[in-house]
Amino acid sequence: MSARPNLIAGGVLSGTVLALAALSLVWVPHDVAALNIAERLRPPGGPHPLGTDHLGRDMLSMLMVGARSSIAVALVAVGIGMGAGVPLGLMAAAARGSWLDELVMRMNDLIFAFPALVIAILITAILGPSALNAILAIGIFNIPVFARVTRGAALSLWTLDYIRAAELAGKGRVRISAEHVLPNIVNLLIVQATIQFSLGILAEAGLSYVGLGAQPPTPSWGRMLAEAQTMIYSAPRLAILPGLAIVLTVLGLNLLGDGLRDALDPRLRRTTR
Amino acid sequence: MPVLRQVSLGIGRREIVGLAGESGSGKSMTALALMRLLPEGARAEGRIRLDGRDLMDLSERQMCRRRGRDLGMIFQEPMTALNPVQRIGDQVAETLIVHGEATRAEARRAAARLLHRVGLPPERFPPGRFPHELSGGQRQRVCIAMAIALRPQLLIADEPTTALDVTTQARILDLLKALVAETGMGLLLITHDLAVISGLADRLAVMRAGEIVEEGPAATVLTARRHPYTSALVAASAHSPATVPPPPGPPLLEVRDAVRTYPGSRRGLIGRAPPQRAVDRVSFAIARGESLGLVGESGCGKSTLARAVLGLEPLQGGEIRLDGTAIRAGSPVPGQVRRRMNAVFQDPYGSFNPRHSVARLIAEPFHLTGRPADAAARIDETLLAVGLDPTDRTRFIHEFSGGQRQRIAIARALIARPDLIVLDEAVSALDVRVRAQILDLLADLRARFGLSYLFISHDLSVVRSITERVLVMKAGRIVEEGATEKVLHDPAHAYTKALLAAAPKLKEPD
Amino acid sequence: MLRYALTRLLSLSLSLVAASLAIFAAIEVIPGDPAAYMLGLNAAPETVAALRDELGLSGTLWTRYLDWISGLATGDMGLSYTYRVPVADLVTERLAVSLPLAAYALALSTAIALPVGLWAAARRGRAADLGIMAATQLGIAVPNFWFAMLLVLVFAVKLRWVSAGGFPGWEAGLGHGLKALTLPAVALALPQAAILARVMRSALIETLGQDYIRSARAKGLSRAQALRRHAFRNALIPVLTILGLQFSFLLAGAIIIENVFFLPGLGRLIFQAITQRDLIVVESVVMLLVFAVILVTFLVDLAYAAVDPRLRRR
Amino acid sequence: APPDTITIGMVLEPPNLDPTSGAAAAIDEVVYANLFEGLTRFAPDGTVAPGLAASWEANEAATVYTFHLREGVRFHDGTALEAEDVVFTLDRARGPDSTNAQKALFEGIESVAAPDPLTVTVTLARPDGAFPFKMAWGDAVIVAPETAGTEASAPVGTGPFRFERWVHGDRVELLRNPDYWGPAPALARATFKFIPDPNAAFAAMMAGDVDAFPNFPAPETLPQFEADPRFRVIVGTTEGETILALNNRRPPLDNIRVREAIAHAVNRQDIIDGAMFGYGTPIGTHFAPHHPDYVDLTDLSRHDPKKARALLAEAGQTDLTLRLALPPPSYARRGGEIVASELRAVGIETEIVNLEWAQWLDQIFRRHDFDLTIVSHTEPMDIGIYARPDYYFGYDRPDFPALMDRLAGATDPAERSEILKAAQRMIAEDYVNVYLFQLAKTGVANAKLEGLWENAPTQANDLTAVHWTD
Ligand SMILES: Nc1ncnc2c1ncn2[C@@H]1O[C@H](COP(=O)(O)OP(=O)(O)OP(=O)(O)O)[C@@H](O)[C@H]1O
Ligand SMILES: Nc1ncnc2c1ncn2[C@@H]1O[C@H](COP(=O)(O)OP(=O)(O)OP(=O)(O)O)[C@@H](O)[C@H]1O
Ligand SMILES: [Mg+2]
Ligand SMILES: [Mg+2]
């Protein structure tokens, strides 16, 4: 059918970011832990294609390593959300209407009722600021999202006759959930995961912007942005580059999510009926 | 890709023209083309003349003025054809208001009158109701009221009764007939069910793959069947597989005083609606090798009973006995009992996990029995038995048509060699010709494997063709039971009589 | 309808109790002593102990929880440790900023998103729609604090149309108050509007595919009429859900924006109270926010019922 | 006519307005010399000047001080200031229920008496030449018994301004006190606006929302203001010795070689440039460089990575990993990154832990659970903290308290100076901490504003002399 511009643009954007982040694991142009005060605030060019920051670190390397922390935080947070939310959602759907279902859904509502940023701050106050706590704070709020999506999709599958057939074959709820329900909502979960991933990147940026995310010397986009803000006149690129990195990554992931939804949506795939 | 090819049709005043054909033949497209409401991407060519004026020449704005005033249309699915958040009276009144035929207040009064006319008297069905407060048949009446509000010259009804059960269907068809007589409008009645048309239409057009293959006075078309496709359709509608007399056998399944109650639906955290008895002290038996029919209106509890028999739902009272092993209410059905029963469900699309291969789908019942050593051979054998090819085993379900899927469902039901197969509306979703093939297959399999069937359907003609004995169910209870021929020819219970009277019949050729 | 509301109300109160326990427990395990914080680097231990007594930080867990809860129920939230004024007064002061800001931002985002979403849906697949969709994608991707910073740069620092931030108070006049809240509201509203417009559009497109739209068209309604009269109200349900979520986000999630514009709002109160270990303020305000969210959810549920008659009987 | 109102920007909001029970610098920044006055006060150059006491004298042994109060001083509530108020204030501050954050200031007092309404005599347990200095602190301001309990939210003092209102989270407003005993201030109204975010502070200053920001939080933007004729940048000194504190209790930091190695590993100028954008004066000991008794000991801890490595090797410390705890201010957070990178260069790995103040106080200050931390000690003349072995960095050399005892008893300026110099040397040679730099006071103000303090001998925004020019 049509070339899917969303999918392609999103794939290229997020692919590039992912690739750069992966590359930073083995190679960066300059060590970001080594400060060089004499080299501070160098304009782009020469050994520093994007210049250096106020502590003389190479901006390109900082952005690459920053991508890594953003992605790691968001990815693990999504992992937590899926790891806990999907089984909960499956369980709730399998036991639909029972107290278990009710309990899971009420817990979801309760988590949703807490303002996320406030919880992040509280967690940080209890455990101290770190990337781990950012992950925890973002991850907790991913759980109800996945639980809800999973339950909703699973509920509609449970009304289908192939589930009846599996019950006839004597399969239990757990087995049916794993064998018949989960594989058929995987598409939906992938789409949701990309969306949550992009939200996670934004959330991580916000948290590290207020100093609650990854801690120095680990670079993170949000903190780079926060630290450079006041230099917007003297060295605008310091604040603009990390901002741009966030925007492009989130944009890429959102486009990818949209593209995947279009590509995987069973409603669009289903033939004549 | 053309969907319709050179379709020509004429409809006179006060005339009812039937348009019949298999699913996907282009009937709906024809109707939508007439309304110029084709889905995005579709394009229509040719001429549509209404009272001499070519509708194709009109601008979209002019066309809007024609729709509803000169052309009315009702659709197949009454459950979704109405705006759920608007009162039915307002929806009917809207037809008058958008055409500037009445002020809001007048339109309201007119709507009330119209609703009364289509059988929704204001005392019982005030116009202030919302669609969800009405049954399917009642909603279809609202749609009809909406469509005839301005007495259009032509009413198009696209499968208006397919989603309704027989008694309701009969009433709606009567209403349409009366309206045609009363207002003098022409009616284009689209259906896949020849029997519906045979009792109603003056003329009949038969459509196949976007072409009208035969057209003429309804009686002539149905009896003369000049075109082979028409005769194939008629034959399939009336199809009756050669039934084998049941070998006298001991009772296989006995159900005694089965009760299934649903807790009332939740109302918030604490409240519940009162419980509802979907199956109310039902008793019956099926002999080994016997085919037992179960008929009744939608919602009377047929499926619930079937699920209870299959052990998919707990019973609140009574007992089920399979080949002597008793299962009492409250206790789960043991595996050895359950493996001797299997089922085929109505929806050929929702019955299969789209991610599993045919072989895996069919082999699912082995979960209970343990996978036999010759599983692969058994799968091939079963595929052959239902008329599919063993090479199909690696394919996925989306590669099959509805009829083929139903064969796969039957294969799945057969593979563990059960004694009893429950068929819940197993052929209702199929086209007549495909349905005929499946019915033949079922009869054949029964003869070969000595199977027993519990055959559930709302379609009496199907039940007649494949069962020896029939149960009639109403509101959770069995109201009549007996040999199929006898019950269907000479019903004892008033409800059965009503059911029979409502069922449309295809006139036998002389 | 009444019964529906009552049962929802019951589950609402259960949620509140659960929330209060969670908050209290969290506050209990936060390390750091308010008294020590207040007295700083040179304080002697007995001075800190004296202050602890004065603040009422001694007492068992249960009595303090019960004191707190019963206080909350009667509107008495106690005395702030650091400010030494009733927490209720602090909260009222801050709400006078946060609530109007949230409402302003919500109004803005709705006013932008609904027409834009409607327009895009009506022009589905055409250039205008694609343009709007691209713009909304960008709107979602831009972090709002970053956007806020740019707004300040342009409108306060460069053009000097408005203050860079701060809030003069409502007694300075409605106009001044609104002016001070405009940039923050815009910064909050635009990303929200992008989300809302997308939801509006897809909800409309979804409803436009429904059978009853076809019925309406068959009655003679034009495409636009069908959109307005039939699709709009049905599409409102997902939009309402998002609006409810957004309101709670705006009320509490505006912390960063409040910082950028140095607004004395609720979010900053919490932030500050946590760093100063003014725990009595933290627990009461978090509780209040949770209450607000649950209340908004409840109101959204009622609004569903108002929009969708199918929900009224349950 | 020039305006007679002013808006002053401040980073932190005071938690309350009672300087006698709370350590927050922000309290004094609002109330010191504006709302509240003590017996003595700090002059802008850091010397001790008469406050509510027009004069005072000490006996020969420096154990009895007699303060003569000014006449006609009234509290903002209209009551007159009397010697009994002073007695009350001092007794309250040193009493067992005292919540005064600097209780140590009053520790030496044995008794306070009011022989007549305008005379106060203070008897000390031990000689203390610095007692008038101690009475100049913000924590020693005089309050009246009737209002002492409510100063936190409704401060009543004797100063040139009286409290008007406090919009929590936003601003505190002060109004001119018409009954002030001294010369009337030029300003009729002063607003302190609280802007925690450096970027917001920058924007507020640029947009003209704030007239002056005496402690501007973003030194990197100062060149911007310098280039703009609308503004004046005021760079002065503070009493803030910024140090890389070492936990002297804990191995291997109990080894002087390791401490010396760390001192040589750190490049002060890099930290001043990188973290403070060039603002700050390098120090080599815990003493303010603008003080006449300051000794420049920076050479003792020259930047010398080679020597640092050698010392570490000598101490047998290779593969050292230390935890560096950083409180919120940017000197600590930015400086910490630089310190970490410089320590790595000599083979010491660091694990950075960022802490809020409350956590820092709990973990480092109270429980001494740390290896390294960066903090600025902003109290004036606070070298005495090295005499407290239970203090957080754990310096425990008996010679030092002895030195301080001598200092307390000395009234001869030359002798005092000698002792102070010896003290500076002792801690520098023991490499107790790494002395980084003296925090600069970097302020920005409207160019038309005059009379703001240039230096910060104490945390204060004394508005008495502030006025606008045309
Ligand atoms: N929106 C569409 N886009 C493309 N092809 C379509 C669309 N809708 C229907 N078709 C195709 O047009 C053909 C005719 O469809 P139509 O709906 O008219 O059949 P029908 O005779 O009404 O069948 P049924 O009895 O199932 O309603 C079918 O082959 C179908 O696949
Ligand atoms: N899970 C359930 N919970 C509550 N009520 C149910 C449930 N399933 C079915 N019912 C109710 O039980 C009654 C019988 O339903 P059932 O599906 O057995 O009818 P049916 O005769 O098979 O109808 P149809 O011909 O439409 O399939 C109906 O009134 C239905 O609303
Ligand atoms: Mg059709
Ligand atoms: Mg059924």
Side-chain angles (χ1 to χ4, degrees), chain B residues 262-263 276 278 297-305 307 425:
Chain B
Y262 284 116
Q276 184 193 359
E297 266 181 335
S298 177
C300 68
K302 304 183 296 286
S303 297
T304 307
L305 178 60
R307 285 198 301 271
E425 309 271 13

Side-chain angles (χ1 to χ4, degrees), chain C residues 82-84, chain D residues 10 13-22 24 26-32 35-36 138 141 143 148 150-157 162-168 171-174 192 194:
Chain C
T82 50
Y83 281 135
R84 311 282 181 92
Chain D
M10 280 174 55
E13 178 175 25
N16 62 68
L17 293 177
D18 183 0
T20 66
S21 79
I27 302 177
D28 279 340
E29 286 179 16
V30 173
V31 303
Y32 190 80
L35 274 174
F36 289 109
V141 296
V143 295
T150 54
E151 309 286 15
S153 50
V156 173
R162 60 182 175 75
F163 173 74
E164 163 76 359
R165 67 184 190 139
W166 182 0
V167 181
H168 292 286
R171 63 184 188 273
V172 169
E173 288 175 16
L174 307 183
F192 290 90
F194 312 117

Side-chain angles (χ1 to χ4, degrees), chain A residues 97-99 102 106 160-162 164-171 175 179-180 183-184 187 269 271-273, chain B residues 266 269 307 310 312 338 342-343 345-347 349-356 360 364-365 367-368 412:
Chain A
S98 75
W99 61 268
E102 191 73 17
R106 288 297 137 250
L160 291 181
D161 282 339
Y162 66 76
R164 290 295 87 61
E167 284 179 328
L168 268 185
K171 292 182 177 169
R175 196 180 169 117
E179 196 171 301
H180 291 293
N184 285 298
N187 284 348
R269 253 191 340 172
T271 43
T272 48
R273 166 97 203 246
Chain B
R266 247 174 200 291
L269 258 191
R307 285 198 301 271
L310 288 165
L312 294 178
R338 185 183 265 178
N342 219 310
F345 300 103
Q346 168 170 11
D347 182 1
Y349 294 87
S351 286
F352 304 96
N353 186 339
R355 293 178 179 269
H356 290 177
R360 184 160 176 202
E364 188 153 43
H367 181 76
L368 261 185
R412 175 170 61 193

Side-chain angles (χ1 to χ4, degrees), chain B residues 21-25 27 159 192-193 229 233 236 402-403 427-438:
Chain B
E22 274 175 318
S23 182
S25 56
K27 307 182 295 289
E159 316 246 16
H192 65 272
D193 190 341
Y229 180 69
L233 272 186
V427 295
S428 309
L430 303 176
D431 268 331
V432 270
R433 288 198 306 165
V434 181
R435 177 199 299 175
Q437 291 166 8
I438 297 289

Side-chain angles (χ1 to χ4, degrees), chain D residues 149-300:
Chain D
T150 54
E151 309 286 15
S153 50
V156 173
T158 56
F161 292 91
R162 60 182 175 75
F163 173 74
E164 163 76 359
R165 67 184 190 139
W166 182 0
V167 181
H168 292 286
D170 189 48
R171 63 184 188 273
V172 169
E173 288 175 16
L174 307 183
L175 285 186
R176 179 156 56 204
N177 172 12
D179 300 329
Y180 187 53
W181 56 266
L187 297 171
R189 174 188 286 272
T191 305
F192 290 90
K193 202 156 180 71
F194 312 117
I195 306 178
D197 185 62
N199 191 49
F202 174 72
M205 205 62 225
M206 273 289 181
D209 297 345
V210 171
D211 299 316
F213 220 118
N215 287 302
F216 192 68
E220 60 273 30
T221 61
L222 292 180
Q224 214 70 45
F225 289 108
E226 255 161 10
D228 192 329
R230 289 188 290 151
F231 304 107
R232 190 157 60 91
V233 173
I234 312 168
V235 180
T237 60
T238 70
E239 294 300 312
E241 292 84 14
T242 311
I243 62 172
L244 170 64
L246 314 174
N247 192 347
N248 283 244
R249 290 185 188 82
R250 222 182 231 191
L253 295 171
D254 56 350
N255 181 343
I256 185 167
R257 293 223 172 69
V258 176
R259 298 203 299 268
E260 190 182 349
I262 294 175
H264 285 296
V266 171
N267 183 348
R268 296 191 176 86
Q269 200 55 48
D270 270 1
I271 296 173
I272 293 171
D273 288 345
M276 305 310 292
F277 295 82
Y279 297 96
T281 317
I283 53 172
T285 183
H286 198 110
F287 215 72
H290 51 84
H291 197 281
D293 294 329
Y294 175 74
V295 196
D296 185 354
L297 298 165
T298 46
D299 258 5
L300 280 178

Side-chain angles (χ1 to χ4, degrees), chain A residues 110-111 113-115 118-119 122-123 125-126 141, chain C residues 15-30 61 64-65 68-69 72 270 274 278-294:
Chain A
L110 198 63
I111 295 181
F114 281 91
V118 172
I119 295 310
L122 269 179
I123 291 180
I126 296 172
F141 286 91
Chain C
S15 303
L16 282 178
V17 172
S20 73
L21 281 169
I23 293 169
F24 187 78
I27 296 291
E28 278 306 308
V29 300
I30 288 188
L61 226 61
R64 272 182 300 135
Y65 175 73
W68 173 54
I69 283 298
L72 271 188
I270 300 186
I274 292 177
D278 198 346
L279 301 178
I280 192 162
V281 172
V282 180
E283 54 192 8
S284 298
V285 177
V286 175
M287 191 64 217
L288 190 83
L289 286 175
V290 170
F291 175 71
V293 174
I294 292 180

Side-chain angles (χ1 to χ4, degrees), chain A:
Chain A
M1 231 178 70
S2 67
R4 302 176 191 281
N6 279 355
L7 198 62
I8 294 167
V12 168
L13 267 178
S14 23
T16 312
V17 176
L18 279 173
L20 282 177
L23 178 64
S24 78
L25 285 171
V26 292
W27 178 82
V28 283
H30 298 268
D31 180 9
V32 294
L35 311 188
N36 190 345
I37 306 295
E39 284 284 309
R40 53 204 267 262
L41 297 175
R42 283 286 140 89
H48 304 290
L50 297 177
T52 63
D53 72 355
H54 58 287
L55 295 178
R57 290 171 292 196
D58 178 53
M59 276 301 277
L60 178 61
S61 316
M62 289 284 284
L63 286 174
M64 283 169 66
V65 184
R68 201 165 75 201
S69 21
S70 284
I71 288 171
V73 168
L75 211 56
V76 180
V78 171
I80 292 177
M82 286 183 95
V86 172
L88 280 176
L90 286 176
M91 219 163 74
R96 62 210 170 278
S98 75
W99 61 268
L100 186 70
D101 182 20
E102 191 73 17
L103 187 74
V104 170
M105 292 332 281
R106 288 297 137 250
M107 291 292 287
N108 272 350
D109 290 349
L110 198 63
I111 295 181
F112 268 132
F114 281 91
L117 193 55
V118 172
I119 295 310
I121 297 171
L122 269 179
I123 291 180
T124 310
I126 296 172
L127 303 173
S130 71
L132 202 68
N133 296 332
I135 287 173
L136 206 63
I138 302 172
I140 287 179
F141 286 91
N142 270 328
I143 296 175
V145 172
F146 280 102
R148 204 169 273 200
V149 167
T150 305
R151 177 177 177 270
L155 273 185
S156 58
L157 286 185
W158 272 96
T159 64
L160 291 181
D161 282 339
Y162 66 76
I163 305 278
R164 290 295 87 61
E167 284 179 328
L168 268 185
K171 292 182 177 169
R173 286 176 180 183
V174 177
R175 196 180 169 117
I176 290 176
S177 292
E179 196 171 301
H180 291 293
V181 180
L182 187 58
N184 285 298
I185 60 173
V186 155
N187 284 348
L188 200 66
L189 292 177
I190 290 175
V191 171
Q192 193 65 40
T194 27
I195 293 169
Q196 292 310 117
F197 189 30
S198 80
L199 289 177
I201 296 226
L202 267 183
E204 193 271 345
L207 286 180
S208 49
Y209 177 82
V210 289
L212 304 179
Q215 295 300 300
T218 316
S220 89
W221 289 343
R223 197 156 36 76
M224 285 169 74
L225 214 160
E227 285 177 359
Q229 268 190 53
T230 47
M231 288 175 259
I232 190 101
Y233 278 119
S234 43
R237 106 203 109 74
L238 293 197
I240 287 176
L241 287 176
L244 220 56
I246 298 171
V247 171
L248 289 181
T249 309
V250 175
L251 189 65
L253 286 170
N254 280 340
L255 289 176
L256 188 67
D258 268 17
L260 280 177
R261 191 201 319 259
D262 293 348
L264 299 176
D265 191 336
R267 274 181 305 180
L268 297 178
R269 253 191 340 172
R270 192 183 292 170
T271 43
T272 48
R273 166 97 203 246

